[in-house]
Amino acid sequence: MPSRRTFIKTTAAGGTCLLLNPFGKAVSGGGSNPIRIYHASISIDALKKDPDLADILAGAGVKCVWTACFFQGSWHHTIEEVLEWNKFIEKKGMQVAQITIPLGHPSFTSSAPDYMPPVAVDIWKPGMRPDGRTYYGVSLHEGATRQNVEAVKKIKTTDPGIIFLDDDFRLAPSPADIGGCFCPIHQKAFLESHGYSEAQWGIC
Ligand SMILES: [Zn+2]
């Protein structure tokens, strides 16, 4: 078991250093010491349910709290609510930032995942794998793109500092799948943009 001194020295050599004060909180290092800054991603609902949660985070040395109000095509909290909770978090001495999941989480079936409300399913058309099977969750179709652009514009009004667009830019149901959408709309767009004829589709 390495001593704390050895541990700190080793992690500093590795590129980051956690500095501890007598109460065990993470604190900023100065000079040439790199520091580790803690962020927490917490839902507004969790903050509502546990009035002590923000104090616990601040006490643990968290410097920035990320909440989410829009993801997978639907609003889970209004802008007014975000502003209210931002103020609450900032009063606890932490910064605020926003996360969205713009293109949805992948699913592996042609039925819509339970986290997608009916309205999103109408606008967010299913994607298509190279073998023709359809899937919901990750969508690059026009409706989804427009909805996400509008959402980011609205979120920007809360002055979040940073808006983190969560993963799923891979545009495939899984890492093992070839990414992209092979539906007739995207097939046509691909052929036209590269000057190929329809007859060339599928020839390799
Ligand atoms: Zn498509």
Side-chain angles (χ1 to χ4, degrees), residues 31-176:
S32 58
N33 284 333
I35 60 165
R36 184 169 291 173
I37 298 171
Y38 291 94
H39 293 235
S41 169
I42 302 284
S43 75
I44 288 175
D45 288 334
L47 290 167
K48 276 184 193 170
K49 267 187 208 153
D50 185 347
D52 298 328
L53 188 53
D55 285 324
I56 292 169
L57 294 173
V62 168
K63 298 292 178 207
C64 182
V65 174
W66 297 73
T67 61
C69 59
F70 175 88
F71 46 92
Q72 291 140 354
S74 57
W75 288 93
H76 294 258
H77 297 282
T78 63
I79 290 296
E80 289 71 30
E81 224 179 333
V82 172
L83 288 169
E84 183 192 326
W85 284 94
N86 281 359
K87 218 180 278 174
F88 175 81
I89 293 163
E90 283 167 346
K91 265 193 196 154
K92 303 289 180 185
M94 297 177 285
Q95 293 177 313
V96 293
Q98 276 288 311
I99 299 179
T100 79
I101 304 173
L103 301 171
H105 268 298
S107 72
F108 299 92
T109 67
S110 57
S111 56
D114 56 4
Y115 58 74
M116 287 179 79
V119 65
V121 174
D122 289 346
I123 300 169
W124 293 37
K125 306 288 180 215
M128 186 176 282
R129 295 187 196 197
D131 63 8
R133 282 184 293 164
T134 56
Y135 61 92
Y136 266 106
V138 178
S139 175
L140 245 196
H141 290 139
E142 170 55 23
T145 314
R146 191 176 55 247
Q147 229 182 352
N148 278 296
V149 169
E150 285 164 8
V152 168
K153 279 183 189 164
K154 270 177 86 174
I155 293 168
K156 191 170 180 280
T157 65
T158 69
D159 193 20
I162 301 173
I163 301 176
F164 171 44
L165 306 178
D166 200 357
D167 59 7
D168 307 313
F169 279 111
R170 60 180 176 261
L171 302 176
S174 80

